[in-house]
Amino acid sequence: MKEPKKLLLFILAVGMSIAAAAQEVLNMPLIQTKYTADPAPYVHGDTIYLYTTHDEDDAEGFKMKDWLLYTSTDMVNWQDHGVVASLKDFPWYKGDNGAWAECVVERNGKWYMYCPIHGHGIGVLVADSPYGPFKDPLGKPLVWRQEHWDDIDPSVWIDDDGRAYMYWGNPHTYCVELAEDMISTKGEIMTMSQIEDYQEGPWFWKRGDWYYLAFASTCCPEGIGYAMSKSPTGPWEHKGHIMDHTPRTRGNHPGVIEYKGKWYCFGLNYDIFRLETSRHAERRSVSAAEMTYNSDGTIKELPYFIDCKLEQVGHFNPYRRVEAETMAWGYGLKTTRANPSGPWNETLFVTDIDDGEYILVRGVDFGDKGAASLTVSCSALLYGGRIEVRLDDVDGWKAGIIDIPNTKFKYQEFKTGLTRCTGVHDLYFVFKGSDKQRRNLFNFDWWKAERK
């Protein structure tokens, strides 16, 4: 029995080494603890709210039951907020699959989530907070033309004059004006003239006097194309690609935002799944890249996501309670609220922690005086493990060590002193096991640094 166990540990070690090298050199997907797709970023205040669809871990085809939320204030460290809405929030839909590409906007203090349910039109949910709970105000689809299955991938935009529009469709692009209440329509559904290379997934925005419509270009493989217009309802002129067709991925779905003076294009790929296997399954991941414009308003074409650079915007504050599910990289880990063999937790926590895995938080600003100590909240059922607090590399300066004993799955706080934690560093929480336990070491809930 020892040899298979050794082989498994070897495979895991090799996989982690590949993943570590990938995230250091390449612009890898933003989320590694779940499979995410169909990015719908929205900027409100100083925060990016990134809503995504969710491919299940065992998906072969499209297996999608709910919608997730991640937030960031620096573009590289993302906090997981888990499921914010699901198919169960639509009582009129009795199926258990089909939670496709959503879009979320805020208006007058309310948050509106437009959710296509494959084959059953586009529903809408409303909440008082970007985190939910989202409720169905209609009890029926907002748009559902039952003669076809084209009603997917909504994109909603509120123009400078207060008029709101929703765009959607595959293989045609449709548009309808939304009423002030954002849950009813005004006028007839318009069918846009066919845009060259358009497949699906329209994403609408405005910059200056130009309106833009990005989209997943003709399959397969898809790229991210775009068109421009002087009017929110067209006519649209195809301008090329934000990212060209590439065999390095199969599908795409764009989301475009301006954040802190820079523009970003989000899309999807299979790059996390490719760390495990070369075979195909619908287990996708969201990536992002900085996007720039030419003087005439057209967009400079980007290389594939992996080859782009995504720089941190601002630094990360460690002197507060930081949820452990906030990370720039955490391949191999999972996040949940309920461990099958443990207690329910009010917030998400990091689990499936194995020997050699780690959480990376980029650009942590400890300040000139630095940090004196660090406290973590963890729980363990069996032998537990150790957290090595390292700087700038998984094998970098060991600033502190925290041993996590058996807590009988009760969350307890543990503290370590820190050394050399001044200025700005990438912070690594490196997890170590023992001879008795190398997998599922403990659960990690939150951490906080304290100043000198």
Side-chain angles (χ1 to χ4, degrees):
M1 295 298 292
K2 290 183 179 180
E3 291 308 315
K5 193 175 292 185
K6 286 181 180 179
L7 178 60
L8 174 61
L9 291 174
F10 173 75
I11 292 172
L12 288 172
V14 170
M16 291 309 301
S17 296
I18 294 172
Q23 66 88 13
E24 287 294 342
V25 177
L26 306 174
N27 179 32
M28 292 294 286
L30 304 176
I31 312 300
Q32 310 88 39
T33 56
K34 294 185 178 79
Y35 291 113
T36 57
D38 306 314
Y42 189 82
V43 177
H44 189 74
D46 67 347
T47 301
I48 304 170
Y49 296 88
L50 175 61
Y51 297 87
T52 75
T53 54
H54 176 204
D55 293 334
E56 297 291 334
D57 283 356
D58 62 350
E60 293 298 327
F62 296 112
K63 187 176 181 182
M64 305 160 71
K65 302 173 182 290
D66 46 37
W67 294 275
L68 310 178
L69 171 62
Y70 299 85
T71 59
S72 178
T73 57
D74 62 16
M75 276 301 297
V76 298
N77 297 301
W78 293 88
Q79 180 179 345
D80 187 348
H81 297 274
V83 174
V84 291
S86 77
L87 293 172
K88 295 179 181 178
D89 293 314
F90 294 101
W92 46 269
Y93 179 66
K94 305 306 179 184
D96 65 351
N97 195 5
W100 282 29
E102 76 304 334
C103 181
V104 179
V105 298
E106 183 271 342
R107 187 169 199 172
N108 298 327
K110 298 285 187 180
W111 292 75
Y112 299 88
M113 176 181 285
Y114 300 87
C115 303
I117 301 174
H118 192 217
H120 290 76
I122 298 171
V124 60
L125 301 173
V126 185
D128 294 325
S129 162
Y131 308 102
F134 285 90
K135 303 294 184 183
D136 180 3
L138 298 179
K140 62 180 181 179
L142 173 64
V143 170
W144 185 17
R145 293 167 297 168
Q146 300 183 34
E147 66 272 18
H148 56 64
W149 285 31
D150 294 0
D151 298 331
I152 63 170
D153 299 353
S155 175
V156 175
W157 176 262
I158 302 171
D159 207 355
D160 299 336
D161 60 4
R163 299 174 71 177
Y165 302 88
M166 182 169 74
Y167 304 78
W168 73 95
N170 175 347
H172 303 289
T173 314
Y174 305 101
C175 173
V176 73
E177 187 173 347
L178 297 177
E180 177 75 20
D181 63 9
M182 301 297 285
I183 59 172
S184 60
T185 61
K186 295 173 63 176
E188 298 297 319
I189 293 174
M190 297 169 274
T191 302
M192 304 286 100
S193 298
Q194 188 66 33
I195 302 172
E196 180 184 342
D197 209 24
Y198 174 91
Q199 181 72 48
E200 62 183 8
W203 186 269
F204 186 90
W205 77 99
K206 186 180 183 182
R207 177 179 178 267
D209 295 330
W210 285 106
Y211 294 90
Y212 293 80
L213 197 68
F215 48 84
S217 54
T218 309
C219 188
C220 276
E222 296 175 9
I224 300 176
Y226 77 103
M228 296 170 61
S229 175
K230 287 292 187 178
S231 165
T233 56
W236 296 97
E237 182 180 352
H238 180 250
K239 291 294 186 179
H241 286 87
I242 299 174
M243 188 174 293
D244 203 355
H245 301 253
T246 172
R248 298 166 78 176
T249 188
R250 286 172 58 98
N252 229 307
H253 186 288
V256 176
I257 57 169
E258 183 183 15
Y259 183 64
K260 295 185 178 180
K262 297 184 177 183
W263 286 86
Y264 297 93
C265 178
F266 293 71
L268 61 86
N269 52 57
Y270 299 80
D271 290 340
I272 293 298
F273 189 52
R274 289 288 175 270
L275 294 176
E276 303 174 17
T277 178
S278 60
R279 76 178 186 86
H280 179 72
E282 295 300 342
R283 303 178 201 177
R284 298 163 292 174
S285 297
V286 168
S287 286
E290 186 178 346
M291 188 180 78
T292 56
Y293 295 85
N294 297 305
S295 59
D296 62 355
T298 57
I299 299 168
K300 294 181 180 179
E301 186 172 304
L302 291 169
Y304 181 58
F305 283 113
I306 278 179
D307 301 322
C308 294
K309 288 186 178 181
L310 186 64
E311 296 180 351
Q312 187 170 0
V313 184
H315 294 139
F316 190 90
N317 174 20
Y319 299 113
R320 58 191 171 94
R321 172 173 165 145
V322 179
E323 298 298 326
E325 62 276 9
T326 306
M327 61 188 78
W329 187 260
Y331 180 75
L333 306 171
K334 292 295 181 183
T335 59
T336 184
R337 281 190 175 89
N339 191 299
S341 57
W344 174 267
N345 200 32
E346 290 185 358
T347 62
L348 289 170
F349 57 88
V350 177
T351 188
D352 281 10
I353 297 174
D354 300 332
D355 179 70
E357 294 177 340
Y358 61 90
I359 289 172
L360 164 60
V361 183
R362 288 203 182 276
V364 178
D365 188 359
F366 293 105
D368 294 337
K369 293 184 178 180
S373 62
L374 185 136
T375 301
V376 302
S377 174
C378 297
S379 70
L381 179 60
L382 296 174
Y383 301 102
R386 170 177 289 184
I387 301 176
E388 295 179 353
V389 183
R390 293 182 177 268
L391 302 182
D392 300 320
D393 191 88
V394 69
D395 296 316
W397 172 255
K398 193 186 298 181
I401 296 175
I402 304 175
D403 288 312
I404 311 298
N406 179 1
T407 68
K408 299 181 180 179
F409 251 137
K410 294 180 180 179
Y411 280 95
Q412 295 182 16
E413 296 180 13
F414 303 92
K415 189 173 183 177
T416 181
L418 295 177
T419 59
R420 299 190 187 178
C421 287
T422 58
V424 179
H425 296 275
D426 289 343
L427 181 63
Y428 288 77
F429 296 94
V430 183
F431 307 117
K432 299 292 185 180
S434 65
D435 291 339
K436 293 182 178 180
Q437 188 175 8
R438 292 189 178 275
R439 303 191 67 192
N440 295 312
L441 304 179
F442 48 83
N443 295 330
F444 188 7
D445 189 15
W446 57 265
W447 61 272
K448 180 180 180 181
E450 296 178 2
R451 300 177 190 272
K452 286 185 178 178

